[in-house]
Amino acid sequence: MAFSCASGEYLEMKNQVCSKCVEGTYSLGSGIKFDEWDELPAGFSNVATFMDTVVGPSDSRPDGCNNSSWLPRGNYIESNRDDCTVSLIYAVHLKKSGYVFFEYQYVDNNIFFEFFIQNDQCQEMDATTDKWVKLTDNGEWGSHSVMLKSGTNILYWRTTGILMGSKAVKPVLVKNITIEGVAYTSECFPCKPGTFSNKPGSFNCQMCPRNTYSEKGAKECIRCKEDSQFSEEGASECVDRPPCTTKDYFQIHTPCDEEGKTQIMYKWIEPKICREDLTDAIRLPPSGEKKDCPPCNPGFYNNGSSSCHPCPPGTFSDGTKECKSCPAGTEPALGFEYKWWNVLPTNMKTSCFNVGNSKCDGMNGWEVAGDHIRSGAGGSDNDYLILNLHIPGFKPPTSMTGATGSELGRITFVFETLCSADCVLYFMVDINRKSTNVVESWGGTKEKQAYTHVIFKNATFTFTWAFQRTNQGQDNRRLINDVVKIYSISATNAVDGVAASCRACALGSEQSGSSCVPCPPGHYIEKETNQCKECPADTYLSIHQVYGKEACIPCGPGSKSTQDHSLCYSDCFFYHEKENQSLHYDFRNLSSVGSLMNGPSFTSKGTKYFHFFNISLCGHEGRKMALCTNNISDFTVKEMVTGSDDLNLVGAFVCQSTIIPSESKGFRAALSSQSIILADTFLGVTVEASLQNVNIKEDMFPVSPSQVPDVHFFYKSSTATTSCINGRSTAVKMRCNPMRPGAGVISVPSKCPAGTCDGCTFYFLWESAEACPLCTEHDFHEIEGACKRGLQEILYVWNEPKWCIKGIALPEKKLSTCETVDFWLKVGAGVGAFTAVLLVALTCYFWKKNQKLEYKYSKLVMTTNSKECELPAADSCAIMEGEDNEEDVVYSNKQSLLGKLKSLATKEKDDHFESVQLKSSRCPNI
């Protein structure tokens, strides 16, 4: 039989009945509670593991996790701070169905925090399908409960830090673990030191008030010696009061009096724990020194009184002069600018809290100090000192409604920190009172600087500054001189703001008088007429001022403006002139989001992670289609779109998430965190390697093998960070690669495997056939075929290699008339035959002519010999060896070859001969 006793009772084993617990003890009946964490309670264990197994020999394994564990801190237990996976485990056997309940603090999303339950077969229970624990606001304790089934239940609180070069994470804190469903408890638990129960049958113990203490199992608390000792709430002993030092008091400024003076007052930090009567103690400095009050903040005026009041609607003031109405044609520029700190503004409040105690509850976390506001003393060095600014909404002035850009306002503050330890200043934003997110943080000493946060939606905002001197457990005030000072806080376009100045506005018609009217979207105010006029094409309207044509800012190269001139974007078409050739690009098939999973990388403890990038290249009327998400178990776009409202989505042109792969130990699906916007503004597209101070170095990527120029898309992010003062920027190099069809391949520089070398400028190479220019008539040539039957075929083929896509199609083959080879062969043969006959005829003709000449010459010789001086016989006229030719032959009427041919060709009756004159010589005597 299973007994079940009520709360405040225990099972008396001898009599088998339930009895009430006595004073000084308590019982949960059928439950157990763990609220004492001075040491790890019995039954709890720590298991530390690598999150992922690193491939390689054992000696190459990173630093071990043997020293990582959950640490008891008195009232709570604290998780590990490194990037090991550490599980806090407790096994319990339930006789009936019950539940587990615990309180926790989980403020840092650089830690994954899970709570799940397994049975004795190490199978995960159905009740923990949603095992991811939700984040809590800084300093607030959340609660988590899960139903338990009867039988063995093994409870796991598991944390994994994701560092990846970031600062140390803030640990998860857990306290007050309660388990209900055990059959009975056979004894009551004594109240822990610092608590008591003064009634029989108690189900819990009450905490001892301040300046009292108790030991274990106390029925009441004992008071400390008032003059020499003190104790904090829930103390187990009293301690001696130390001598007072400069760290035990602070100064404040009183509100201004009627004379315009403020008094400097010194006060002890409450509760006062120090003694002034000891020999080395200091005294509280005298108060009452008067100083001139600082002027009112812009938009406020004192009107002769001792306090500043906001100017009425429609008026303005710089804080030193009376509120005046805005001139005709102008309207007040609403907002807040706090730069004088005599009193805390009405829309601000300050507080203090500590996760482990209530010492500073009710204290002021910050104190005004004339020209700045500074962190207060607090109760302990690890207190959170809180300053809040509440603004119900943001709305652009009437004249700015035509500027439909995404920015509605901005908040800017100037600060500095002076620290000797590991202090941190957090700047957090809460939207519509849902959850507070850390926007930026600064650790250690920081010189005076300004930070700006841009507002993109109209909602109720609470801005929080939280300062912690150290995140180590401290119960004293040794670091009180570590301070943060904020010199000014300004917010533009606040709905309930005041005006320090007026700005020009557009005037309505004559019937409406001098009242301001809103300009239509994309219209600026013309200076000469104060009338609305539309911005020129391909310009966008400035979100900071709309007065004058200079408010219309030209779009970057290769981009166009939206219809309402709210932004510039690429329509995915790009044109470039190169060597008298026009290159046309069409990137529409790449307009859907491109993704890149880059890695893996490993942390020092062996955690494997990837960088996941989404790129929204162009199109979509300038809408940012790239989505990244935090704290979910799947990072697909479908999951992000259809998921719950708790998903933390980031929309941009380019964004990055850190992915923990699903094969990591103990995780069933991939985890996504640390999503950041890399680009939310489009700058332009060009073939040049530089645009608006964003440069792509030549050696950043391999040289392209083609003569087609790469096209570069440039983006920037308007959000500044501590490491990127001017915000982040992104360059995407589009390269024509016919071997990469469709979406192609995205890569990062080999020298910058994370996509960036400095953390501020990111580079991507996108290779795809879709990045090739459209084909033109310069990309193909013609080939003539053979002439057949009087027809010739002409074919068109692409130039190789082909560096174009789509565009014009290859022309169809065409036929043209031609003379065939047989015809020309016949003509050639005829001409050849005619030439041969002509040569034969000429040869015969000249041969015949030569015969006639020989005959006439012979006849001439014979005739000459028969005369008085006869010539010797032909053979006697030969020149003998050794003789000189004393007779010269003289030709007269010598003709050229052309003349001879001419004379031969003529058919005259009289024959022409060459006359040969023989030189006279003596004839030998016979």
Side-chain angles (χ1 to χ4, degrees):
M1 177 179 179
F3 290 91
S4 179
C5 296
S7 298
E9 297 179 343
Y10 72 100
L11 178 64
E12 192 178 335
M13 300 299 293
K14 183 177 180 180
N15 301 322
Q16 295 289 296
V17 295
C18 294
S19 302
K20 289 186 177 183
C21 294
V22 300
E23 296 175 350
T25 63
Y26 75 97
S27 167
L28 298 177
S30 59
I32 51 178
K33 184 176 183 178
F34 301 96
D35 57 359
E36 237 181 296
W37 299 98
D38 296 314
E39 59 183 5
L40 201 63
F44 281 88
S45 60
N46 270 300
V47 175
T49 60
F50 287 100
M51 187 166 178
D52 188 45
T53 301
V54 181
V55 179
S58 59
D59 57 359
S60 66
R61 184 179 292 276
D63 300 335
C65 293
N66 296 333
N67 295 326
S68 297
S69 67
W70 287 74
L71 300 175
R73 294 293 189 188
N75 293 328
Y76 57 88
I77 187 169
E78 175 185 290
S79 74
N80 60 309
R81 297 169 181 259
D82 54 26
D83 51 355
C84 292
T85 299
V86 183
S87 298
L88 178 67
I89 306 173
Y90 183 77
V92 62
H93 187 80
L94 300 187
K95 294 295 184 180
K96 62 178 182 178
S97 298
Y99 64 87
V100 57
F101 168 88
F102 61 90
E103 296 178 71
Y104 71 96
Q105 270 206 10
Y106 174 31
V107 297
D108 193 339
N109 61 7
N110 289 318
I111 280 188
F112 290 117
F113 179 32
E114 313 164 79
F115 175 74
F116 59 95
I117 305 164
Q118 291 183 348
N119 58 22
D120 52 3
Q121 304 297 319
C122 291
Q123 295 174 337
E124 214 161 298
M125 309 287 273
D126 295 338
T128 56
T129 53
D130 184 17
K131 62 182 181 178
W132 304 105
V133 183
K134 293 182 180 180
L135 287 167
T136 61
D137 293 339
N138 268 285
E140 294 187 6
W141 289 94
S143 61
H144 191 82
S145 62
V146 176
M147 300 303 296
L148 300 177
K149 295 181 179 179
S150 59
T152 300
N153 291 265
I154 306 174
L155 314 180
Y156 289 84
W157 292 263
R158 183 163 66 182
T159 56
T160 301
I162 310 299
L163 298 184
M164 291 162 296
S166 63
K167 53 187 173 294
V169 297
K170 294 182 66 64
V172 175
L173 311 181
V174 174
K175 69 176 184 178
N176 294 339
I177 299 176
T178 302
I179 302 173
E180 178 69 34
V182 295
Y184 58 85
T185 177
S186 59
E187 60 180 346
C188 295
F189 299 98
C191 292
K192 69 176 184 176
T195 64
F196 71 100
S197 67
N198 55 5
K199 294 180 181 179
S202 297
F203 63 90
N204 63 2
C205 297
Q206 302 177 52
M207 191 173 291
C208 288
R210 196 183 304 273
N211 291 328
T212 65
Y213 75 99
S214 70
E215 297 177 348
K216 189 173 185 178
K219 301 177 183 179
E220 60 181 1
C221 299
I222 305 171
R223 296 192 64 83
C224 299
K225 297 178 182 179
E226 290 188 10
D227 295 334
S228 60
Q229 292 183 323
F230 79 100
S231 70
E232 299 294 344
E233 186 180 29
S236 60
E237 62 179 354
C238 296
V239 295
D240 292 337
R241 294 181 182 270
C244 291
T245 67
T246 55
K247 298 179 180 180
D248 292 301
Y249 69 86
F250 62 97
Q251 73 173 32
I252 62 170
H253 291 68
T254 63
C256 293
D257 57 21
E258 295 180 354
E259 298 176 357
K261 300 290 184 180
T262 178
Q263 294 186 28
I264 299 178
M265 306 295 291
Y266 295 92
K267 292 186 176 183
W268 293 112
I269 297 173
E270 295 295 340
K272 182 184 175 185
I273 61 173
C274 66
R275 293 177 60 182
E276 301 177 68
D277 56 352
L278 298 178
T279 55
D280 53 351
I282 66 166
R283 299 288 190 272
L284 191 68
S287 299
E289 179 186 358
K290 289 191 174 184
K291 289 187 176 181
D292 291 334
C293 280
C296 294
N297 282 307
F300 293 82
Y301 188 63
N302 55 22
N303 289 325
S305 65
S306 60
S307 59
C308 298
H309 301 279
C311 288
T315 64
F316 72 101
S317 171
D318 62 356
T320 62
K321 301 176 183 178
E322 294 183 2
C323 301
K324 295 182 179 180
S325 298
C326 288
T330 64
E331 62 177 336
L334 298 180
F336 292 105
E337 183 182 1
Y338 298 130
K339 59 182 181 180
W340 301 111
W341 303 92
N342 185 56
V343 295
L344 196 66
T346 56
N347 60 348
M348 298 185 73
K349 65 179 182 178
T350 179
S351 59
C352 174
F353 75 88
N354 190 294
V355 297
N357 59 62
S358 58
K359 289 168 61 175
C360 76
D361 291 359
M363 290 184 178
N364 284 338
W366 294 65
E367 300 290 346
V368 294
D371 65 344
H372 67 275
I373 184 170
R374 59 187 291 158
S375 54
S380 304
D381 285 341
N382 63 343
D383 291 342
Y384 285 95
L385 308 175
I386 304 298
L387 180 66
N388 301 113
L389 169 63
H390 179 76
I391 295 180
F394 288 86
K395 179 183 178 182
T398 304
S399 60
M400 299 289 289
T401 53
T404 56
S406 57
E407 179 179 329
L408 286 181
R410 52 178 56 196
I411 182 168
T412 303
F413 58 94
V414 179
F415 72 98
E416 69 174 338
T417 57
L418 302 170
C419 298
S420 60
D422 56 336
C423 73
V424 180
L425 171 65
Y426 299 94
F427 175 62
M428 299 174 285
V429 176
D430 173 87
I431 302 177
N432 292 330
R433 296 187 174 128
K434 287 187 176 180
S435 64
T436 302
N437 295 313
V438 176
V439 175
E440 191 58 84
S441 62
W442 299 265
T445 298
K446 298 295 180 184
E447 61 184 13
K448 192 174 181 179
Q449 59 185 277
Y451 178 79
T452 297
H453 177 70
V454 180
I455 309 301
F456 295 105
K457 62 184 296 186
N458 183 21
T460 299
F461 281 83
T462 298
F463 302 100
T464 300
W465 293 264
F467 181 66
Q468 188 182 39
R469 292 185 171 93
T470 177
N471 63 3
Q472 304 298 324
Q474 300 285 344
D475 285 331
N476 48 35
R477 289 194 295 255
R478 293 182 302 176
L479 304 173
I480 192 171
N481 291 326
D482 291 5
V483 298
V484 57
K485 298 179 181 180
I486 294 181
Y487 293 93
S488 66
I489 299 175
S490 62
T492 63
N493 299 339
V495 168
D496 60 344
V498 294
S501 62
C502 300
R503 72 179 82 198
C505 65
L507 297 179
S509 60
E510 295 182 1
Q511 292 78 10
S512 62
S514 60
S515 60
C516 294
V517 297
C519 285
H523 286 61
Y524 67 96
I525 302 173
E526 196 173 36
K527 291 182 178 180
E528 293 77 11
T529 62
N530 269 38
Q531 300 295 313
C532 300
K533 190 171 183 179
E534 186 176 3
C535 281
D538 294 334
T539 64
Y540 68 96
L541 189 61
S542 169
I543 55 179
H544 300 296
Q545 66 101 10
V546 295
Y547 193 60
K549 191 173 182 179
E550 58 270 20
C552 301
I553 304 173
C555 292
S559 59
K560 60 189 298 185
S561 63
T562 54
Q563 188 173 358
D564 59 3
H565 298 277
S566 61
L567 53 87
C568 298
Y569 72 100
S570 169
D571 60 359
C572 297
F573 292 98
F574 177 70
Y575 309 95
H576 173 63
E577 294 290 335
K578 178 191 176 186
E579 300 175 357
N580 298 324
Q581 180 182 353
S582 180
L583 299 179
H584 291 215
Y585 294 83
D586 181 0
F587 297 105
R588 286 180 297 178
N589 286 346
L590 301 177
S591 63
S592 58
V593 177
S595 299
L596 167 66
M597 181 79 82
N598 186 39
S601 300
F602 296 90
T603 65
S604 61
K605 290 292 195 303
T607 303
K608 179 195 289 187
Y609 66 92
F610 295 84
H611 285 132
F612 182 68
F613 299 96
N614 274 327
I615 301 175
S616 176
L617 186 70
C618 59
H620 306 287
E621 292 292 322
R623 294 191 300 275
K624 305 174 185 66
M625 306 302 291
L627 296 176
C628 294
T629 183
N630 288 333
N631 297 330
I632 60 170
S633 58
D634 194 0
F635 53 87
T636 62
V637 174
K638 178 181 178 182
E639 289 290 334
M640 290 190 290
V641 172
T642 61
S644 67
D645 294 336
D646 294 330
L647 299 184
N648 186 0
L649 294 179
V650 174
F653 287 118
V654 185
C655 62
Q656 171 194 317
S657 294
T658 300
I659 304 298
I660 308 300
S662 58
E663 68 267 17
S664 293
K665 187 177 296 184
F667 292 92
R668 295 175 299 177
L671 304 177
S672 175
S673 72
Q674 297 183 345
S675 295
I676 57 174
I677 293 176
L678 304 183
D680 58 13
T681 302
F682 178 70
L683 298 180
V685 53
T686 175
V687 296
E688 302 297 329
S690 176
L691 182 65
Q692 296 190 24
N693 298 321
V694 185
N695 302 300
I696 305 177
K697 297 180 180 179
E698 292 183 1
D699 59 348
M700 189 67 69
F701 295 103
V703 178
S704 173
S706 78
Q707 298 299 317
V708 176
D710 295 333
V711 179
H712 306 126
F713 284 75
F714 292 94
Y715 310 86
K716 72 174 183 178
S717 171
S718 57
T719 303
T721 65
T722 53
S723 57
C724 304
I725 299 175
N726 298 319
R728 298 183 178 92
S729 55
T730 302
V732 182
K733 179 186 280 285
M734 306 301 298
R735 175 167 292 176
C736 172
N737 188 340
M739 304 303 294
R740 301 288 190 183
V745 174
I746 304 175
S747 60
V748 294
S750 57
K751 60 170 63 176
C752 308
T756 177
C757 298
D758 59 5
C760 298
T761 305
F762 290 75
Y763 303 94
F764 301 94
L765 174 62
W766 195 335
E767 296 180 272
S768 170
E770 298 292 338
C772 296
L774 301 179
C775 295
T776 66
E777 62 273 7
H778 298 283
D779 295 303
F780 62 83
H781 61 277
E782 65 178 34
I783 298 178
E784 295 182 351
C787 186
K788 296 180 179 179
R789 299 178 182 177
L791 296 176
Q792 186 179 34
E793 191 177 63
I794 299 178
L795 300 176
Y796 296 90
V797 295
W798 295 112
N799 299 333
E800 292 294 339
K802 182 184 176 185
W803 297 107
C804 67
I805 191 173
K806 300 176 184 175
I808 65 172
L810 277 178
E812 297 288 339
K813 65 179 181 181
K814 64 180 182 179
L815 298 175
S816 61
T817 57
C818 65
E819 301 295 341
T820 63
V821 176
D822 293 343
F823 171 78
W824 289 110
L825 187 61
K826 292 177 181 178
V827 172
V831 172
F834 174 77
T835 303
V837 171
L838 180 61
L839 289 174
V840 171
L842 288 174
T843 301
C844 294
Y845 175 77
F846 285 117
W847 180 82
K848 187 176 180 180
K849 282 288 184 181
N850 187 54
Q851 290 296 104
K852 287 182 178 181
L853 283 175
E854 289 181 357
Y855 171 75
K856 289 183 179 182
Y857 180 76
S858 300
K859 188 175 180 180
L860 177 61
V861 171
M862 291 174 63
T863 305
T864 304
N865 288 336
S866 62
K867 290 188 178 180
E868 180 179 359
C869 188
E870 292 184 350
L871 293 172
D875 55 340
S876 65
C877 289
I879 299 174
M880 302 300 295
E881 184 177 357
E883 294 184 31
D884 293 330
N885 182 14
E886 297 180 354
E887 296 180 351
D888 295 327
V889 179
V890 180
Y891 291 89
S892 63
N893 300 326
K894 185 176 180 181
Q895 294 178 301
S896 64
L897 178 61
L898 180 62
K900 292 178 182 180
L901 292 176
K902 204 172 182 183
S903 62
L904 290 174
T906 55
K907 295 183 179 182
E908 296 180 354
K909 294 182 179 181
D910 297 332
D911 294 327
H912 294 273
F913 301 99
E914 293 181 350
S915 59
V916 180
Q917 184 178 359
L918 298 177
K919 190 175 182 181
S920 62
S921 61
R922 292 181 181 179
C923 297
N925 293 326
I926 302 175

